[in-house]
Amino acid sequence: MQPARSAQQEPLGRFVGLDIYFDRGHLAIAEVKEAWAISENWSAFFAKLGNLPFYRAMAFTLTFTFTVTPLLIALGLMIALGVNALSERVKGLVIFVSLLPMIVTPLIGSLILFWMIDSRGILGNAIQWMASDPDLSLKASTGLTWVMLIVYGVWHSAPFAFVVFYAGLQTLPMDQIRSARIDGASRWEQVRYVIVPHLMPLIMFVALIQLMDNFRVLNLLSGFNAEAHAQSLSWIIFNDLGGRHASFRPRRPHPC
Amino acid sequence: MNSAANRYPAHLKALIYGFISLWVILAAFPFFWTLWGSFKVELDFSLSLTGQMHLPAKIPLIPMARLLLMSVMPGHGYKKEFYGPLLTQRLFVSLLCAPR
């Protein structure tokens, strides 16, 4: 018969304090120090960082945020300028269709695109035909998965920028446009020196909102089933808190 | 910016309408594709696991036409070289054998 375990000799647990944030699943301080010590150059150092979950998630999150945000602002502005120049008869219909990508929830929208890029889907099939490679799969490549996530991010968020900029274009003072035209400004110069400065407060507003929205990307990864290729900071937090498995946890019967 | 103050040259107008048309297609196509693929006819369930299609001798005209159309569109899994001749034969039989 073994002697009774002493709580002091073999404690069930121990106080870790902030150490839990420094382990490999989080900031990985020791692993980063080791990587810094043994790496011969920056690319080797970043390659080793890419094996650490937190830094891999940070890389995707920052890439997604700072790629999608400027692209959606540019695309939204182009759509707003284009729609503003349309005939009144088609303007309403085009605005309605332009807002569709924003109406659908990201989880469902990403699921639709997930089906389309499948090898049996219309986009997957078309890309295989264009590349003359029947084995090409967008879902099997980490780089292409990142590209698809970024494409979806721009497609989903550009309507928000469009509708804000379109509203701003209605407040554009025509005197400034006429003065610029009289001074010989081309259409590009009118856009660059009159319209964009007039819309700058709205551009800053859209940039701030979208930076926050894109930084907390999470639903796309579930809809695209892309967790093996891309993890975001929100996904790491969600996974860390056990949210991924909470729905599968069996309910305990009530003791009464 | 009212339309009276903006008289666009023809090439710029073509560029604007072309870009907006492209954007409208990009924005709406996933939903159209999902809606198109959600309509299933009875024959869609005739495929066995081996890919063999078990077709009745007489097939209504509209489902037959839809299957023929889908056989030439990518992304539906209906291979034209496999189903095309078979469906054409069935269509011919359906047209010849009038329902009583």
Side-chain angles (χ1 to χ4, degrees), chain A residues 210-231:
Chain A
Q210 290 303 316
L211 276 174
M212 291 188 289
D213 266 350
N214 294 329
F215 194 79
R216 58 186 173 95
V217 58
L218 175 62
N219 288 340
L220 300 189
L221 304 180
S222 299
F224 271 101
N225 237 5
E227 293 95 337
H229 296 292
Q231 302 92 34

Side-chain angles (χ1 to χ4, degrees), chain A residues 75 78-79 82-87 94 97-98 100-101 104 112 115-116 120-122 125 155 169 172 174 181 187, chain B residues 1-3 5-9 12 16-17 19-20 23-24 26-31 33-34 73-77:
Chain A
L75 182 60
M78 288 166 61
I79 297 171
V83 170
N84 207 39
L86 293 180
S87 160
V94 171
V97 174
S98 298
L100 282 177
V104 69
I112 292 174
W115 290 338
M116 292 176 73
R120 294 162 296 174
I122 191 164
N125 231 327
W155 178 81
L169 285 175
L172 191 67
M174 291 314 299
R181 197 173 293 135
R187 293 200 183 267
Chain B
M1 294 175 72
N2 54 39
S3 57
N6 286 309
R7 303 204 183 278
Y8 296 97
L12 187 57
I16 290 171
Y17 275 82
F19 170 73
I20 294 298
W23 163 248
V24 164
L26 287 176
F29 181 74
F31 306 105
W33 182 78
T34 305
M73 284 180 64
H76 284 276

Side-chain angles (χ1 to χ4, degrees), chain A residues 12 48 68 81-82 87 140 148 169 185 217:
Chain A
L12 284 174
K48 289 182 174 56
V68 170
L81 290 170
S87 160
M148 289 311 306
L169 285 175
V217 58

Side-chain angles (χ1 to χ4, degrees), chain A residues 106-167:
Chain A
L107 189 62
I108 303 300
S110 57
L111 196 57
I112 292 174
L113 195 57
F114 178 74
W115 290 338
M116 292 176 73
I117 64 173
D118 187 86
S119 58
R120 294 162 296 174
I122 191 164
L123 286 184
N125 231 327
I127 291 173
Q128 285 177 344
W129 174 76
M130 283 191 293
S132 301
D133 182 2
D135 296 326
L136 180 64
S137 171
L138 291 175
K139 299 176 185 176
S141 162
T142 298
L144 290 177
T145 300
W146 281 34
V147 169
M148 289 311 306
L149 291 169
I150 288 170
V151 165
Y152 177 78
V154 174
W155 178 81
H156 173 71
S157 304
F160 173 74
F162 151 67
V163 76
V164 171
F165 295 149
Y166 182 73

